[in-house]
């Protein structure tokens, strides 16, 4: 990790209109994250965690405020610019794994590289390498239904990292796993992110996950209540 800011949020708000009522999901969030930092956003359901992740990833536009990532103003980008930004800079790990059921682990991991125009041989080579890194070198030809929940999430981790993104977003990555498997998966995510110098931002309702990270950002009612530096 170095001390150069990669992500800067300035007074970011997000308001949803539901009928005649305004729902304030984010209320003036200010945040700076450095390149290579491993952090988690902690808060109970409805605190604004997923909304924060979505605006950081350019999946939703903030109502107001600035979002600067790699010196780019994300909130000013067009949809086509945001798609390119996500392809070039971002990897996603999902709670529900989001694997393609009829594809093998190897094919699932290689798939994101199709959009970069990489040859099939190089795609499969990169996928094999990252699956080995997450401990699944003996499961390359298994389809999702032949894998445990923890193994499926390892495939999800490999898929997020195969394109060598600068930033990895993980939305409740252990939400569908038991506690023992959760610990294993979080350790894998954080260890690989550190080894490869990735900036990792995890959203979780489980405060125990903070033990694996450099920084814990506590969110309540759309506002940061505490930033806990752990390393």
């Amino acid at each position: 990790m170095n001390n150069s800011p990669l992500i800067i949020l300035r007074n970011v708000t997000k308001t949803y209109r539901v009928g005649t009522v305004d729902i304030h999901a984010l209320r003036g969030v200010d945040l700076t994250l450095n390149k290579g930092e491993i952090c988690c956003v902690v808060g109970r359901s409805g605190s604004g965690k997923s909304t924060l992740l979505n605006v950081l990833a350019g999946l939703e536009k903030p109502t107001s405020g600035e979002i600067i990532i790699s010196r780019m103003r994300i909130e000013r980008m067009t949809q086509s610019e945001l798609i390119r930004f996500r392809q070039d800079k971002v990897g996603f790990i999902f709670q529900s794994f989001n694997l393609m059921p009829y594809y093998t682990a190897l094919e699932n991991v290689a798939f994101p590289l199709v959009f970069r125009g990489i040859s099939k041989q190089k795609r499969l080579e990169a996928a094999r390498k990252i699956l080995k890194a997450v401990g699944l070198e003996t499961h390359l030809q298994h389809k999702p239904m032949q894998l445990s929940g923890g193994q499926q999430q390892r495939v999800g981790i490999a898929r997020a990292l195969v394109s060598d993104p600068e930033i990895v977003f993980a939305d409740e990555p252990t939400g569908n796993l038991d506690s023992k498997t959760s610990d294993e998966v979080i350790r894998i995510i954080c260890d690989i992110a550190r080894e490869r110098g990735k900036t990792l931002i995890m959203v979780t309702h489980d405060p125990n996950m903070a033990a694996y990270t450099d920084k814990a950002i506590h969110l309540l009612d759309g506002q940061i209540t505490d930033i806990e530096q752990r390393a």
Side-chain angles (χ1 to χ4, degrees):
M1 186 181 72
N2 63 43
N3 291 322
S4 60
L6 177 68
I7 299 172
I8 302 169
L9 279 70
R10 296 188 181 125
N11 197 27
V12 171
T13 71
K14 180 64 179 179
T15 302
Y16 299 99
R17 187 77 170 174
V18 181
T20 58
V21 178
D22 286 337
I23 306 296
H24 301 285
L26 296 176
R27 302 169 182 257
V29 172
D30 293 301
L31 182 64
T32 299
L33 300 175
N34 293 329
K35 185 176 174 59
E37 205 158 29
I38 310 294
C39 66
C40 64
V41 181
V42 184
R44 63 193 184 205
S45 180
S47 61
K49 306 186 303 296
S50 292
T51 301
L52 179 59
L53 199 72
N54 287 344
V55 298
L56 280 169
L59 296 170
E60 295 185 51
K61 292 270 189 185
T63 303
S64 64
E66 297 178 7
I67 301 173
I68 303 164
I69 301 180
S70 293
R71 300 180 181 178
M72 296 181 289
R73 289 286 295 272
I74 302 305
E75 87 283 358
R76 290 181 175 176
M77 287 184 177
T78 64
Q79 280 304 314
S80 58
E81 288 170 338
L82 286 167
I83 289 167
R84 176 58 61 88
F85 161 75
R86 287 192 291 270
Q87 285 179 346
D88 291 347
K89 298 280 188 182
V90 174
F92 290 97
I93 302 170
F94 304 96
Q95 176 179 344
S96 55
F97 316 139
N98 284 12
L99 302 178
M100 291 176 285
Y102 302 111
Y103 280 31
T104 64
L106 188 65
E107 291 166 337
N108 264 286
V109 173
F111 185 71
L113 300 178
V114 170
F115 302 105
R116 296 192 169 201
I118 295 171
S119 71
K120 184 175 181 180
Q121 182 180 347
K122 289 186 177 179
R123 293 198 304 266
L124 295 176
E125 184 181 324
R128 281 191 195 94
K129 192 176 290 185
I130 192 67
L131 280 164
K132 183 177 181 181
V134 299
L136 288 179
E137 62 266 39
T138 60
H139 292 73
L140 302 183
Q141 300 305 321
H142 287 61
K143 293 182 178 176
M145 289 297 289
Q146 298 171 304
L147 300 170
S148 68
Q151 290 169 334
Q152 288 186 61
Q153 191 56 293
R154 290 185 192 209
V155 176
I157 295 164
R159 181 186 54 195
L161 290 166
V162 72
S163 58
D164 195 30
E166 193 169 9
I167 305 163
V168 177
F169 292 114
D171 191 1
E172 297 279 7
T174 62
N176 287 338
L177 305 175
D178 61 63
S179 59
K180 181 176 182 295
T181 308
S182 293
D183 289 344
E184 292 171 359
V185 165
I186 287 294
R187 191 174 287 112
I188 288 168
I189 295 172
C190 294
D191 286 352
I192 290 181
R194 283 196 177 92
E195 286 168 13
R196 295 171 182 242
K198 305 304 176 192
T199 302
L200 172 64
I201 303 168
M202 291 189 295
V203 159
T204 180
H205 65 277
D206 184 357
N208 294 325
M209 294 298 107
Y212 298 95
T213 64
D214 304 322
K215 180 182 284 184
I217 300 154
H218 295 268
L219 211 61
L220 180 66
D221 297 333
Q223 294 179 305
I224 294 174
T225 58
D226 186 32
I227 296 179
E228 186 183 356
Q229 198 73 40
R230 305 189 61 89

